[in-house]
Amino acid sequence: MASDSAAHKTRTWRIGRAIAGILGLIFALVYLFEGRNLPVGQMRAPGAGIFPLVVGVIFALVSMGVIIDALWSKMPGKVTLPAGEDRKRLIIIFCAFLVYVGLINLLGFLISTVLLVIVFTRVVGEVSWLKAAMCGFGLTLLVWLAFAVLLGVRLPAGIWG
């Protein structure tokens, strides 16, 4: 009887992992499909479509890896849902990303990304507001320099542009 219970837990765990991988793969394919009309450009002059292409392909590959792992795994991993402070942090970060998606076109890339990184760093890293702000401004500046300046990718300017 105990082996039936263990087999059921393993099967349930494998099915859950496979479903998570399939959902991730579907999301990645939709993401790639939506970004298909953006110009990719050339190696010397990448276009706006290069970022969604790279992210979409990486996300699809990771999702396929999760599916393969779920199908080949013999033993379930120990899975626990976050509780207490960890759950609170997870909810705050999830909400921060939703707010970011809603604000990026209104406030633009620079302001929205600085705010997101500050919140993320403060909540996950449990650092001071000053360190979180330094991370927010520094990381946003690096990403902006890489994409807007070096690659010439047009980032959302929001109401300022």
Side-chain angles (χ1 to χ4, degrees), residues 15 17-27 63 66-67:
I15 291 170
R17 294 260 311 180
I19 289 171
I22 290 168
L23 291 174
L25 183 59
I26 290 169
F27 182 81
S63 296
V66 169
I67 295 167

Coordinates of all heavy atoms in Angstrom, one line a residue, residues 15 17-27 63 66-67:
I15 N 3.6 14.8 -13.4 CA 2.6 15.5 -14.3 C 2.5 17.0 -14.0 O 2.4 17.7 -14.9 CB 1.2 14.8 -14.0 CG1 1.1 13.4 -14.5 CG2 0.0 15.6 -14.6 CD1 -0.1 12.6 -14.1
R17 N 5.0 18.9 -13.0 CA 6.2 19.5 -13.6 C 6.0 19.6 -15.1 O 6.4 20.5 -15.8 CB 7.5 18.6 -13.3 CG 7.9 18.6 -11.9 CD 9.0 19.5 -11.6 NE 10.1 19.4 -12.5 CZ 11.2 20.1 -12.4 NH1 11.3 20.9 -11.5 NH2 12.1 20.0 -13.3
A18 N 5.5 18.5 -15.7 CA 5.3 18.5 -17.2 C 4.3 19.6 -17.6 O 4.5 20.3 -18.6 CB 4.8 17.1 -17.7
I19 N 3.2 19.8 -16.8 CA 2.3 20.8 -17.1 C 2.9 22.2 -17.0 O 2.7 23.1 -17.8 CB 1.0 20.7 -16.2 CG1 0.2 19.4 -16.6 CG2 0.1 21.9 -16.3 CD1 -0.9 19.0 -15.7
A20 N 3.7 22.4 -16.0 CA 4.4 23.7 -15.8 C 5.3 23.9 -17.0 O 5.3 25.1 -17.5 CB 5.2 23.7 -14.5
G21 N 6.0 22.9 -17.4 CA 6.9 23.1 -18.6 C 6.1 23.4 -19.9 O 6.5 24.2 -20.7
I22 N 5.0 22.7 -20.0 CA 4.1 22.9 -21.2 C 3.6 24.3 -21.2 O 3.6 25.0 -22.3 CB 3.0 21.9 -21.3 CG1 3.6 20.5 -21.6 CG2 1.9 22.2 -22.3 CD1 2.6 19.3 -21.4
L23 N 3.1 24.8 -20.1 CA 2.6 26.2 -20.0 C 3.7 27.2 -20.3 O 3.5 28.2 -21.0 CB 2.0 26.4 -18.6 CG 0.7 25.7 -18.3 CD1 0.3 25.9 -16.8 CD2 -0.4 26.1 -19.2
G24 N 4.9 26.9 -19.7 CA 6.0 27.8 -20.0 C 6.4 27.8 -21.5 O 6.6 28.8 -22.1
L25 N 6.3 26.6 -22.2 CA 6.6 26.5 -23.6 C 5.5 27.3 -24.4 O 5.9 28.0 -25.3 CB 6.7 25.1 -24.0 CG 7.0 24.8 -25.5 CD1 8.4 25.4 -25.8 CD2 7.0 23.3 -25.7
I26 N 4.3 27.1 -24.0 CA 3.2 27.9 -24.7 C 3.4 29.4 -24.6 O 3.3 30.1 -25.6 CB 1.8 27.4 -24.2 CG1 1.5 26.0 -24.6 CG2 0.7 28.4 -24.6 CD1 0.3 25.4 -23.9
F27 N 3.7 29.8 -23.4 CA 4.0 31.2 -23.1 C 5.2 31.7 -24.0 O 5.1 32.8 -24.6 CB 4.3 31.5 -21.7 CG 4.5 33.0 -21.4 CD1 3.4 33.8 -21.2 CD2 5.8 33.5 -21.2 CE1 3.6 35.2 -20.9 CE2 6.0 34.8 -21.0 CZ 4.9 35.7 -20.8
S63 N 11.9 25.7 -20.8 CA 10.6 25.0 -20.6 C 10.7 23.5 -21.2 O 10.2 22.6 -20.5 CB 9.5 25.7 -21.4 OG 9.3 27.0 -20.8
V66 N 12.4 21.4 -18.6 CA 11.6 21.1 -17.5 C 10.7 19.9 -17.9 O 10.5 18.9 -17.1 CB 10.7 22.3 -17.1 CG1 9.6 21.9 -16.1 CG2 11.6 23.3 -16.4
I67 N 10.1 19.9 -19.1 CA 9.3 18.8 -19.6 C 10.1 17.5 -19.7 O 9.6 16.5 -19.2 CB 8.7 19.2 -21.0 CG1 7.7 20.4 -20.9 CG2 8.0 18.0 -21.6 CD1 7.4 21.0 -22.3

